[in-house]
C-alpha cells in the first residue's frame, strides 16, 4: 500500500528528514520519502491508515493532508 500526502512547512533538508522520520515511526510503514520541491511525501507498507500518517507529520510540526 502506498499513500501520498501534501506537506506544508518543509523548508530544508532537515525538515525532509523530520517528515520521513515521523512517517517511519508509524507502525506498518516500511518506506517513507519526502519531496521538498513538491511539498509532498509518500509512505509505503501495510497495516496503517492515512489519518495516522497525517497525525504523525502534524505532530512533527508540519501541516499535512492526504493527497487527492
Amino acid at each position: 500500500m502506498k499513500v501520498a500526502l501534501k506537506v506544508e512547512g518543509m523548508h530544508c533538508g532537515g525538515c525532509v528528514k523530520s517528515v520521513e522520520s515521523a512517517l517511519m515511526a508509524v507502525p506498518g510503514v516500511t518506506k517513507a520519502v519526502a519531496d521538498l520541491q513538491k511539498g509532498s511525501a509518500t509512505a509505503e507498507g501495510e497495516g496503517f491508515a492515512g489519518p495516522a500518517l497525517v497525525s504523525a507529520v502534524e505532530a512533527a510540526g508540519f501541516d499535512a493532508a492526504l493527497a487527492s
Side-chain angles (χ1 to χ4, degrees), residues 1 3-5 23 26 47-57 64-66:
M1 166 163 125
V3 176
L5 302 166
L23 292 171
V26 175
F48 60 85
L53 301 174
V54 171
S55 294
V57 173
L66 294 173

Side-chain angles (χ1 to χ4, degrees), residues 24-37:
M24 289 298 296
V26 175
V29 174
T30 57
K31 181 179 179 183
V33 178
D35 187 314
L36 179 64
Q37 298 296 328

Side-chain angles (χ1 to χ4, degrees), residues 2-55:
K2 185 174 183 177
V3 176
L5 302 166
K6 294 187 85 115
V7 181
E8 293 184 11
M10 292 190 295
H11 301 291
C12 64
C15 294
V16 168
K17 288 184 181 183
S18 293
V19 169
E20 291 174 347
S21 293
L23 292 171
M24 289 298 296
V26 175
V29 174
T30 57
K31 181 179 179 183
V33 178
D35 187 314
L36 179 64
Q37 298 296 328
K38 294 181 180 178
S40 66
T42 56
E44 295 181 39
E46 295 297 329
F48 60 85
L53 301 174
V54 171
S55 294

